[in-house]
């Protein structure tokens, strides 16, 4: 007999609790390498460990939110402490942040971690960061101010993934929030899972499966996911409107008016929330802000920190809160606000703004026409969700393809000259071309490869593009931003631009027998613009 979803949920919760509780009780390593040389976090409070208790908090509409509360050791009611609220990630139990919550409490914070509505033992249904989730965040702040020695003037929120999105949305509607650390989150939900008008199939399939296993999706969410996964274009406008309501970028004016200090962190290879949309959002923030990008996939840049292990992302998160909630003069406000870690060298680089990341746009001319057949995978692809970018993060092994062996009937290929010096790619690569299709709808996926002397290409970046309602056999312009990255191409290598029509990461709309042609008219030449740091 197959175990029920409730049984699986309970078993997963038990295992997670055992692992995380062991980490918390054992304590984290005594030393950690700081992410930046200027300053380490505020020293931990010496003496006894902070107290922890598990509580029920009434959320919006009276539902129960399961939560845990860490209080600094020695709290006796005679003083107040800054408070940090941590909503859980998608499908994660309420103990997700216990290791980091303990560290923060040792540093003098009241920390409230709670299970987002609809997941595990919390009540309600999964609303996907809808208005009820935002209202829940304020309810948790209300509870913390009433039942802990929390300072109402020093309220912060932090979170990973789903929790990050809820934090950013809450900062638009609750003026009490003074500082936010949103890690591996989203600013534009539609641009995350539907970029290039293409369904990110593996990412949404993962969210759908884990949501069903660990929570109770709302009827609205089930309908949205059904329409999304079945490519129902008749409901596209409704889906976009649903996503817009759940996107912090929609409420940018409110976020700027409230003025919370916002730190954004993400991974270059995040297959759920790609980095471009975070970078665009960061540039439009008006208050204190910080942007950090590191190698990895969704939530892997900060993942080890959830077990209490040394982690640069969490170190800087505490420094952020220390400065903007405690007023600590730790220098984080004087550092370059954009911090990038190269996928190739592992070295950190600081910049004044996202626009300063690239100093030169190096064009690869896409001359001569190329025609390809659709519906067959050429061998060029973006890999698999989580696995591929984690191999890149830990072993520096991105997805690879033999460029000379790619079938030219299935993949359009152009290559640059060999570069005499190394090329430090930093930022967002852009494709500009003219496309002609034999069908009114279709999908193409563009890739940029670092090609060594033997013709083996290592994936630098890629992105999908889908079109509808085009007149067959009539050319049209295409402008596509590939996913932002930081990658170093060695001297003596080339860059290769590859376009094909099938990638396991994405849905595709190419009808059987369709063909795509890429041309470069003299009046509007085609090119790939690669951002390079000289």
């Amino acid at each position: 007999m197959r175990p029920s979803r409730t049984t699986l949920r309970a078993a997963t919760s038990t295992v997670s609790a055992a692992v995380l509780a062991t980490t918390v009780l054992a304590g984290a390593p005594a030393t950690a390498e700081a992410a930046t040389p200027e300053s380490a976090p505020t020293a931990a409070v010496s003496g006894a460990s902070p107290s922890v208790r598990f509580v029920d908090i009434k959320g919006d509409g009276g539902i129960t939110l399961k939560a845990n509360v860490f209080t600094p050791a020695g709290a006796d009611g005679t003083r107040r402490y800054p408070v940090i609220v941590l909503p859980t990630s998608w499908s994660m139990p309420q103990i997700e942040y216990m290791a980091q919550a303990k560290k923060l409490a040792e540093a003098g914070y009241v920390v409230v971690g709670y299970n987002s509505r609809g997941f595990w033992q919390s009540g309600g249904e999964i609303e996907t960061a809808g208005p009820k989730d935002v209202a829940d965040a304020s309810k948790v702040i209300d509870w913390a101010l009433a039942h802990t020695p929390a300072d109402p003037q020093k309220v912060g929120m932090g979170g990973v993934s789903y929790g990050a999105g809820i934090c950013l949305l809450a900062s638009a509607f609750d003026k009490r929030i003074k500082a936010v650390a949103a890690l591996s989150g989203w600013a534009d939900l539609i641009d995350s899972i539907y970029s290039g008008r293409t369904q990110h199939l593996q990412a949404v399939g993962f969210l759908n499966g884990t949501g069903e296993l660990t929570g109770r999706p709302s009827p609205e969410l089930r309908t949205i996911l059904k329409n999304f996964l079945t490519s129902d274009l008749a409901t596209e406008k409704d889906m976009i409107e649903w996503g817009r309501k759940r996107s912090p970028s929609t409420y940018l004016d409110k976020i700027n008016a409230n003025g919370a200090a916002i730190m954004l962190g993400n991974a270059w290879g995040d297959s759920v929330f790609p980095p471009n949309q975070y970078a665009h959002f960061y540039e439009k923030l008006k208050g204190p802000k910080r942007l950090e990008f590191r190698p990895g996939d969704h939530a892997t840049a900060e993942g080890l920190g959830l077990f209490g292990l040394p982690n640069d992302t969490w170190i800087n998160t505490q420094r952020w809160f220390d400065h903007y909630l405690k007023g600590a003069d730790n220098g984080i406000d004087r550092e370059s606000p954009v911090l990038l870690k190269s996928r190739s060298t592992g070295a950190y680089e600081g910049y004044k703004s996202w626009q300063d990341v690239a100093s030169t746009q190096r064009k690869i001319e896409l001359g001569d026409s190329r025609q390809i057949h659709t519906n067959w995978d050429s061998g060029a692809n973006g890999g698999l969700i989580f696995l591929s970018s984690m191999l890149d993060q830990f072993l520096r092994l991105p997805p690879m393809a033999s460029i000379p062996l790619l079938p030219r009937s299935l993949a359009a290929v152009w290559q640059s000259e060999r570069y005499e010096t190394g090329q430090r790619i930093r930022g967002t690569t852009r494709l500009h071309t003219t496309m002609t299709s034999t069908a009114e709808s279709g999908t193409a996926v563009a890739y940029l490869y670092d090609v060594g002397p033997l013709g083996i290409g290592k994936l630098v970046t890629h992105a999908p593009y889908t079109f509808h309602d085009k007149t067959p056999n009539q050319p049209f312009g295409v402008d596509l931003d590939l996913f932002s990255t930081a990658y170093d191409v060695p001297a003596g290598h080339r860059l290769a631009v590859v376009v094909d029509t099938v990638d396991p990461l994405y849905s595709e709309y190419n009808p059987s027998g369709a063909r795509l042609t890429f041309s470069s008219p003299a009046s509007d030449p085609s090119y790939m613009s690669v951002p390079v740091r000289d």
Side-chain angles (χ1 to χ4, degrees), residues 317-491:
T317 293
Q318 184 177 325
R319 294 177 63 224
W320 190 253
F321 286 134
D322 284 348
H323 180 75
Y324 288 102
L325 294 183
K326 287 185 175 181
D329 186 14
N330 57 17
I332 197 167
D333 58 318
R334 298 187 294 275
E335 296 169 10
S336 297
V338 176
L339 183 69
L340 310 183
K341 188 175 184 180
S342 169
R343 291 167 49 202
S344 306
T345 67
Y348 280 105
E349 304 167 359
Y351 299 91
K352 292 181 180 180
S353 73
W354 177 248
Q355 298 299 325
D356 289 334
V357 168
S359 55
T360 301
Q361 293 293 325
R362 190 146 293 152
K363 288 186 177 181
I364 301 173
E365 302 297 336
L366 309 182
D368 301 328
S369 294
R370 305 280 196 277
Q371 185 179 85
I372 59 175
H373 296 272
T374 63
N375 295 322
W376 294 90
D377 192 340
S378 70
N381 63 65
L384 297 173
I385 184 174
F386 295 126
L387 177 61
S388 297
S389 289
M390 288 180 68
L391 287 174
D392 186 37
Q393 176 183 1
F394 295 110
L395 301 177
R396 295 180 186 166
L397 291 175
M400 291 183 281
S402 174
I403 303 304
L405 296 181
L406 291 176
R408 283 357 189 218
S409 61
L410 304 179
V413 180
W414 300 264
Q415 294 193 71
S416 72
E417 75 283 0
R418 295 188 187 276
Y419 296 110
E420 295 182 358
T421 60
Q423 305 294 303
R424 298 171 59 209
I425 298 175
R426 299 292 185 272
T428 306
T429 296
R430 293 182 173 89
L431 170 67
H432 174 76
T433 190
T434 296
M435 185 188 300
T436 304
S437 173
T438 58
E440 64 176 13
S441 293
T443 299
V445 186
Y447 308 88
L448 183 67
Y449 283 97
D450 161 25
V451 185
L454 299 179
I456 301 300
K458 295 184 177 180
L459 186 63
V460 178
T461 181
H462 77 286
Y465 174 82
T466 293
F467 59 90
H468 297 290
D469 302 323
K470 299 297 183 181
T471 303
N473 301 311
Q474 291 295 315
F476 58 93
V478 174
D479 288 287
L480 176 66
D481 283 358
L482 279 63
F483 302 136
S484 303
T485 196
Y487 183 97
D488 295 357
V489 178

Side-chain angles (χ1 to χ4, degrees), residues 115-183:
N115 224 138
S116 302
R117 71 164 50 222
F119 288 106
W120 300 96
Q121 284 74 39
S122 282
E125 297 175 323
I126 303 173
E127 301 289 341
T128 321
K132 293 180 180 178
D133 292 292
V134 176
D136 284 345
S138 292
K139 291 287 187 181
V140 174
I141 294 172
D142 293 341
W143 184 93
L145 297 180
H147 296 90
T148 73
D151 187 336
Q153 303 303 315
K154 299 177 180 179
V155 177
M157 285 194 72
V160 175
S161 184
Y162 191 52
I166 292 174
C167 290
L168 287 174
L169 288 163
S171 72
F173 295 95
D174 196 322
K175 295 181 179 180
R176 295 172 297 182
I177 300 170
K178 305 302 181 186
V180 171
L183 312 177

Side-chain angles (χ1 to χ4, degrees), residues 48 80 85 107 170 177 197 228 281 293 308 310 316 354 424 427-428 432 463 466 477 485 498 503-505 530:
R80 291 190 175 274
V85 173
I177 300 170
R197 207 178 177 187
F228 184 89
F281 181 70
F293 283 140
N316 280 352
W354 177 248
R424 298 171 59 209
T428 306
H432 174 76
T466 293
T485 196
V498 178
D503 192 301
L505 288 170
V530 182

